[in-house]
Amino acid sequence: GAGVSQSPSNKVTEKGKDVELRCDPISGHTALYWYRQRLGQGLEFLIYFQGNSAPDKSGLPSDRFSAERTGESVSTLTIQRTQQEDSAVYLCASSSSGTTPNEQFFGPGTRLTVL
Amino acid sequence: GENVEQHPSTLSVQEGDSAVIKCTYSDSASNYFPWYKQELGKRPQLIIDIRSNVGEKKDQRIAVTLNKTAKHFSLHITETQPEDSAVYFCAAREGNNRLAFGKGNQVVVIP
């Protein structure tokens, strides 16, 4: 079946502009995660959605970052007034349940470059 | 929250030798420990995981061991091959169902 998909694959934007990144999780997966990976670095947790529960936003680095998820489907990560330090690969992952340990399946990521 | 550390940051091994990567975690309540492999330019993929009620798990050339008392777990790769060259991330599942990832280990297998 189809895996996690993300769009766009690459995004180049100018400092100060807003960007919207999209994630389509695997169908039926109730848990969805966003991570940021700077060049040569690890995976930095941003936000976690589990079913209809309130999202865990504790990893968002500033109020310029926000994310939404429609039911148990598509999620969008929005970065307002982008800064150069926002340049990174943004990875989305989904799993069949967030309440029991399960494999997280990652999307291919969106490479964001802020000029 | 959970703090996961990996050692060493970079590991070079001769093809055919074994590679061992160690991770430590801070939260004794963590109960699930996956390892992800990320090849250059690709997405992370799960290679093996272990739950806290098990001390060791093996899958062909890879194995993971868990020491709950010492709060560390290790990835063992035997008979390394060039395609094992990648960045390996360990993680620990926090009580709030998130995964806390380590910073990654670069493994280089020298032919």
Side-chain angles (χ1 to χ4, degrees), chain A residues 34-38 41-47 59-61 88 91, chain B residues 101:
Chain A
W34 282 99
Y35 297 91
R36 178 170 69 180
Q37 187 174 32
R38 291 197 167 106
Q41 300 298 309
L43 299 166
E44 179 186 0
F45 167 80
L46 296 177
I47 189 169
L60 295 178
L91 289 160
Chain B
F101 283 88

Side-chain angles (χ1 to χ4, degrees), chain B residues 93-108:
Chain B
R93 180 172 176 264
E94 301 182 79
N96 55 4
N97 304 318
R98 288 165 33 181
L99 285 180
F101 283 88
K103 293 189 183 302
N105 294 93
Q106 174 75 59
V107 173
V108 178

Side-chain angles (χ1 to χ4, degrees), chain A residues 26-40:
Chain A
I26 293 172
S27 178
H29 279 192
T30 59
L32 186 148
Y33 308 79
W34 282 99
Y35 297 91
R36 178 170 69 180
Q37 187 174 32
R38 291 197 167 106
L39 186 64

